[in-house]
Amino acid sequence: MTDNSELQGFYKLSMEERREILKKATSLTDEEVGTIANTGGLPAEVADHMIENVVGGYTYPLGVATNFRINGKDYLVPMALEEPSVVAAASNAAKMARVKGGFTVTNTGPVMIGQIQVVNVPNPEAARGKLVAKKAEILKKANDQDPMLVSLGGGAKDMNVKVLSSLKGPMVIAELIVNTGDAMGANAVNTMAEAVAPLVEEITGGRVFLRIISNLADRRLVRASAIFDKEAIGGEEVVDGVVYAYAFADADPYRCATHNKGIMNGVIAVGIACGQDIRALEAGAHSYAARTGTYKPLTIWEKNKDGDLVGKLEMPMAVGLVGGAAKTHPAARADIKVLGVKTAIELAEVMGAVGLAQNFAALRALASEGIQRGHMKLHAHNVASSAGATGELIDIVAAKLIEEKKIRFDRAKELVAELSKKGNSE
Ligand code: MEV
């Protein structure tokens, strides 16, 4: 907490100087400043150039999900997140999927949309026609911005123009359709959109305001599917339970938000580990889920004629391997190496499979024993550790909390005090 958040010239200082100021402004202890200063696997000078006003780093645990077999290939999947049970659930689901061959994933290619908003157009329909007539010229201008991408087979491939009726009257929206190759593509697309804007103004006689990528990446989809053998997942009852869980999500947005959140548990954890723009992934996923005007599940679950469970996922997956933190963050580079993906679409496909696995694991648990038993075990370890237990004491305190069915910080503190005293006097 601080009394004054106006830190003049803060951005010009070194990280160390910023920490000094922060310490004075917020009464952080030396130990707390030391914790913040630690940039983990990210060299301090790299961190200092990634964002502004950098004072240190923030580290998540990195887990590795096992058992994934995707399109006939095995993967070890790095996942960075704070939530217990997610990595175990993904590994477990992937193990069950292996029984029937693992996951099959396809994709629609790395295609993003860049939007150019034109207002004050005297005749919007006529302007639309004029833009369409000058499409080749506009695409050339866009592609001149990124000869490297074009040389690799990417670039602006097409342009759509639509007329929207809005709160402020009609507006013309030109949409560049860009193959972004191995990049997530925000930089490439935004540069193109900004570059063509003057030409778009000249053609339409209107005024351009926004020139920006759309995160509703509905031309950059992954489609993952898997068959889960009924015996391997616990019998026909579980199959039915998962299908009912899906029907619930399909019928009710309150449930559907949580259903899709479970998918994103996996997608985002891999996204963080691999240095992706996870805000873009979330925006893409949820806007795609709501594209019909009703918020819907990103997966479908059905029983096939053999009584096995069939899961299918379809969602946008705008990820990249060149540019951004995937290249600058050494831990992200190492994680991508663990995964062994060679292209952005391969990364997208793996993330789609992980999303489907995560959703399956959640629905299976919810439709049978519930998720709290597994969660609570890990939660108890977290509580024990934050109450000051270290080493073996974490397991002992956690076991006691579970036994007493009181997984609470105050009880953990009492146990740590009691057991440490006992340990010291023995
Ligand atoms: C918890 O992080 C995720 C779940 O709530 C997902 C779901 O309910 O499907 C278990």
Side-chain angles (χ1 to χ4, degrees):
M1 206 184 110
T2 185
D3 296 335
N4 180 11
S5 63
E6 281 184 297
L7 303 179
Q8 293 295 335
F10 193 63
Y11 71 98
K12 292 185 199 154
L13 305 176
S14 70
M15 282 173 68
E16 209 170 332
E17 288 166 332
R18 284 186 207 123
R19 281 195 295 269
E20 269 311 304
I21 290 181
L22 193 67
K23 187 177 159 199
K24 286 200 193 101
T26 62
S27 69
L28 283 178
T29 64
D30 283 342
E31 195 187 346
E32 286 160 342
V33 171
T35 303
I36 287 175
N38 185 353
T39 53
L42 180 64
E45 60 282 8
V46 178
D48 202 14
H49 288 101
M50 281 175 85
I51 61 166
E52 306 74 37
N53 293 358
V54 174
V55 292
Y58 183 100
T59 315
Y60 273 133
L62 178 73
V64 174
T66 55
N67 303 319
F68 272 89
R69 190 158 179 80
I70 304 166
N71 292 339
K73 223 171 122 181
D74 272 38
Y75 293 90
L76 288 171
V77 182
M79 301 177 83
L81 82 165
E82 86 302 344
E83 185 172 328
S85 299
V86 170
V87 178
S91 305
N92 211 3
K95 189 171 184 180
M96 292 182 215
R98 282 181 92 88
V99 175
K100 295 257 162 162
F103 299 87
T104 304
V105 195
T106 59
N107 74 87
T108 58
V111 179
M112 299 299 284
I113 298 167
Q115 298 189 299
I116 300 126
Q117 176 201 30
V118 203
V119 304
N120 294 343
V121 184
N123 182 340
E125 276 308 327
R128 197 181 87 82
K130 284 186 202 163
L131 283 171
V132 172
K134 296 272 184 172
K135 182 159 96 176
E137 196 184 333
I138 296 169
L139 292 182
K140 179 173 179 321
K141 181 88 192 160
N143 283 326
D144 285 349
Q145 311 310 310
D146 204 332
M148 176 66 116
L149 180 63
V150 173
S151 75
L152 294 169
K157 301 290 182 189
D158 201 356
M159 185 184 70
N160 295 332
V161 188
K162 60 191 182 190
V163 178
L164 296 181
S165 57
S166 79
L167 294 174
K168 299 286 286 175
M171 51 180 75
V172 179
I173 311 294
E175 293 184 331
L176 295 175
I177 311 299
V178 185
N179 179 318
T180 64
D182 272 329
M184 182 274 181
N187 273 334
V189 171
N190 294 341
T191 304
M192 288 178 181
E194 289 188 8
V196 302
L199 181 55
V200 169
E201 282 187 334
E202 196 185 303
I203 296 169
T204 57
R207 161 86 160 90
V208 167
F209 277 101
L210 270 59
R211 298 142 293 166
I212 190 74
I213 196 165
S214 169
N215 288 122
L216 174 47
D218 63 356
R219 292 169 180 254
R220 199 174 195 171
L221 302 176
V222 289
R223 296 192 178 101
S225 62
I227 300 172
F228 291 87
D229 179 86
K230 63 173 182 293
E231 301 311 333
I233 66 172
E236 206 133 346
E237 179 100 336
V238 174
V239 175
D240 291 338
V242 172
V243 175
Y244 272 115
Y246 158 64
F248 181 10
D250 186 63
D252 177 33
Y254 288 87
R255 170 58 207 152
C256 192
T258 322
H259 178 104
N260 287 343
K261 189 269 184 184
I263 296 170
M264 299 314 280
N265 275 349
V267 170
I268 296 299
V270 183
I272 294 176
C274 296
Q276 301 304 310
D277 179 347
I278 56 166
R279 284 86 47 206
L281 291 167
E282 290 281 7
H286 298 293
S287 55
Y288 191 69
R291 69 194 181 284
T292 58
T294 310
Y295 187 73
K296 289 285 180 183
L298 295 165
T299 52
I300 291 175
W301 293 96
E302 289 160 343
K303 181 152 78 166
N304 70 10
K305 61 178 180 355
D306 302 323
D308 294 329
L309 180 68
V310 182
K312 291 183 188 137
L313 167 145
E314 181 179 284
M315 65 183 289
M317 202 65 83
V319 294
L321 290 182
V322 297
K327 264 278 177 281
T328 51
H329 199 308
R333 287 203 303 271
D335 295 342
I336 290 166
K337 192 169 173 186
V338 168
L339 201 50
V341 293
K342 296 285 182 275
T343 61
I345 53 181
E346 191 182 0
L347 174 59
E349 288 185 344
V350 169
M351 289 168 70
V354 175
L356 184 63
Q358 209 73 58
N359 184 221
F360 164 73
L363 300 189
R364 176 174 179 264
L366 289 168
S368 43
E369 64 170 21
I371 58 163
Q372 284 310 83
R373 202 152 64 120
H375 258 234
M376 280 306 158
K377 217 167 131 203
L378 283 153
H379 180 53
H381 279 78
N382 281 342
V383 172
S385 156
S386 54
T390 52
E392 279 180 355
L393 198 56
I394 297 179
D395 287 340
I396 299 168
V397 172
K400 197 94 183 114
L401 292 173
I402 293 167
E403 185 192 314
E404 293 176 0
K405 295 199 169 64
K406 264 191 223 152
I407 307 179
R408 289 199 328 247
F409 184 73
D410 55 337
R411 180 62 188 139
K413 270 227 147 321
E414 281 171 17
L415 285 168
V416 171
E418 244 170 60
L419 294 164
S420 314
K421 215 188 291 161
K422 214 163 129 199
N424 288 340
S425 61
E426 271 167 14

